[in-house]
Amino acid sequence: MSTPRHAPARFARGWHCLGLVRQFTDGQPHEIEAFGTKLAVFRGQDDGRLHVLDAYCRHMGGDLAHGTIKGDTLACPFHDWRWGGDGKCAAIPYAQRVPPRARTRAWTTLEENGQLFVWHDPQGNAPDPGVTIPRMDWIDDEASDWSDWSWDSVLVEGAHCRELVDNIVDMAHFFYVHHSVPTRFTNVFEGHVATMYVESTPRRDSGMELIGADLSLRSDASYHGPSYMIDRIWQPLGDGTEAESVLVNCHYPVTADSFVLMYGVRVRRLPGMTAGQAEEAAARTAQGVRAAFDQDIEIWRHKTRVDSPLLSDGDGPVYQLRRWYEQFYVDVADIEADMLRRFEFEVDTRHAGEAWEREMAANLGRAGAPGTS
């Protein structure tokens, strides 16, 4: 029996999404357990900006996430020390002066696509301008015919977030876990971006009733850095038109062996569809996404970490993906050329498709035989 191997305690360098901007703009501070610590998120009353600080006050350890927003500062509930978004203590009401060393960690933030991001780097380096979160101009222009985000999150315990990233090269699990049949499966890795191109049809023997399970689809899904994926999805409707949606799949680590998985869906309005109907369609699609992630999470809950998997010729480029992924876990000076070099790989789906077709036919035959159900 294999022995579980724990994930390394280092967290990935890169932009990590903490959630939708609107989640943090209610006039209250919010707490986030991430990167082995606690963060406090607040919106300044005067500057209107979202700020992220280490949550525990440097004075006597009060929890700033349980404090009060006063102007552009976050006041500690213990002694009312007031911390600015830049990490400096701006005031101590009962003291004549603020100690010069009264500073806490202020996290670098980014607001993009209606979401809040923080930059994490174990070395403390500023973000590389070339490694950023792309703006979805195609759904956020003034004439947008897209729904708003239907958004949800789940805490995944007992698993490193690499398990989630591995999915983009794991063709076979789509059949066995998600009840779909990939007919095209291609990966391209280059720089800080890793992409999966998929075309698939539904399993005819699954009996699944997930939203969209009766439709084939085409998906272009790219990780931009270690934790933020944009997945564009097209589904034919049979009348020559396509249903178009976008799925954001993102996460941030809580501990070395747990992470918060978040996902959001936006749906493009079809001709004749009202804005309200588009919102309903996005919510239904998000329910289907949650069902699929629940299938993954159930696998992760019971599996062990395998750093050197034994692969077959029908598997995807697991080692190449993990080499790409390694760039986010080493010092910048230790990033090697092959972690960034362009790599392309297309899985030959023909043999798998023939085997799966036989399996589905056999399952359907048994289901239709007398005395079976």
Side-chain angles (χ1 to χ4, degrees):
M1 183 174 68
S2 61
T3 301
R5 297 183 60 183
H6 295 287
R10 183 164 181 160
F11 301 111
R13 178 183 58 257
W15 288 109
H16 293 76
C17 179
L18 298 183
L20 294 178
V21 167
R22 67 183 184 223
Q23 296 173 224
F24 305 107
T25 56
D26 59 357
Q28 301 297 321
H30 293 260
E31 64 181 61
I32 298 285
E33 298 275 357
F35 308 107
T37 187
K38 182 188 282 191
L39 312 179
V41 184
F42 75 101
R43 183 182 190 181
Q45 294 173 333
D46 300 325
D47 64 14
R49 294 177 54 198
L50 286 175
H51 305 285
V52 180
L53 304 176
D54 278 1
Y56 295 116
C57 182
R58 294 293 190 260
H59 173 223
M60 293 286 284
D63 188 344
L64 299 179
H66 290 262
T68 305
I69 300 172
K70 297 181 178 180
D72 286 337
T73 68
L74 184 53
C76 178
F78 200 179
H79 300 95
D80 203 29
W81 285 40
R82 302 179 185 184
W83 300 91
D86 60 358
K88 296 180 181 179
C89 182
I92 305 171
Y94 63 87
Q96 296 184 51
R97 66 182 182 87
V98 175
R101 295 174 59 190
R103 298 183 63 92
T104 191
R105 180 174 181 175
W107 292 66
T108 301
T109 62
L110 171 71
E111 295 181 33
E112 196 66 271
N113 303 324
Q115 296 140 27
L116 172 66
F117 298 81
V118 292
W119 174 259
H120 176 267
D121 188 330
Q123 298 177 273
N125 296 322
D128 182 338
V131 180
T132 191
I133 301 298
R135 179 173 300 171
M136 300 183 201
D137 293 329
W138 38 277
I139 60 175
D140 279 327
D141 60 25
E142 293 182 358
S144 176
D145 55 355
W146 290 74
S147 72
D148 198 355
W149 290 109
S150 184
W151 193 269
D152 205 350
S153 65
V154 58
L155 173 64
V156 179
E157 297 182 283
H160 189 269
C161 42
R162 189 184 68 179
E163 302 288 352
L164 172 62
V165 179
D166 274 350
N167 277 358
I168 72 166
V169 294
D170 189 353
M171 179 195 73
H173 100 286
F174 284 96
F175 180 82
Y176 296 108
V177 178
H178 300 311
H179 307 282
S180 68
V181 183
T183 55
R184 179 203 175 194
F185 199 93
T186 304
N187 290 115
V188 178
F189 315 142
E190 186 172 17
H192 71 289
V193 180
T195 300
M196 170 184 69
Y197 298 101
V198 175
E199 295 176 11
S200 66
T201 59
R203 274 188 69 161
R204 296 179 290 110
D205 62 338
S206 67
M208 294 295 290
E209 295 180 354
L210 297 177
I211 300 301
D214 59 337
L215 296 175
S216 300
L217 62 82
R218 174 168 52 94
S219 166
D220 295 353
S222 295
Y223 270 103
H224 299 271
S227 66
Y228 186 80
M229 172 188 277
I230 299 175
D231 185 3
R232 298 191 67 176
I233 301 169
W234 297 266
Q235 294 175 308
L237 298 180
D239 59 358
T241 62
E242 288 184 314
E244 185 176 355
S245 59
V246 60
L247 164 67
V248 159
N249 152 20
C250 54
H251 62 271
Y252 59 82
V254 178
T255 67
D257 291 302
S258 64
F259 61 96
V260 169
L261 166 62
M262 292 176 290
Y263 52 92
V265 174
R266 294 184 70 171
V267 170
R268 189 170 193 173
R269 292 201 300 272
L270 294 167
M273 178 182 283
T274 66
Q277 289 171 330
E279 301 296 335
E280 293 175 2
R284 290 194 303 270
T285 303
Q287 290 174 0
V289 171
R290 176 57 183 267
F293 278 133
D294 284 345
Q295 293 168 330
D296 284 318
I297 292 169
E298 182 64 13
I299 296 291
W300 301 334
R301 285 181 59 236
H302 299 285
K303 74 181 294 295
T304 191
R305 177 184 174 94
V306 179
D307 288 327
S308 300
L310 176 65
L311 301 179
S312 73
D313 62 0
D315 290 310
V318 175
Y319 282 97
Q320 290 85 352
L321 172 71
R322 290 185 176 180
R323 187 62 171 155
W324 169 86
Y325 190 56
E326 188 180 357
Q327 67 178 286
F328 307 112
Y329 287 88
V330 299
D331 289 351
V332 172
D334 295 328
I335 297 175
E336 299 180 5
D338 66 337
M339 298 176 185
L340 308 175
R341 187 179 299 118
R342 184 177 177 87
F343 172 83
E344 299 183 32
F345 187 89
E346 182 165 359
V347 177
D348 187 345
T349 61
R350 290 173 297 179
H351 178 76
E354 292 170 358
W356 291 338
E357 181 61 35
R358 291 192 296 269
E359 179 177 335
M360 288 186 291
N363 290 341
L364 289 169
R366 286 192 292 270
T372 64
S373 60

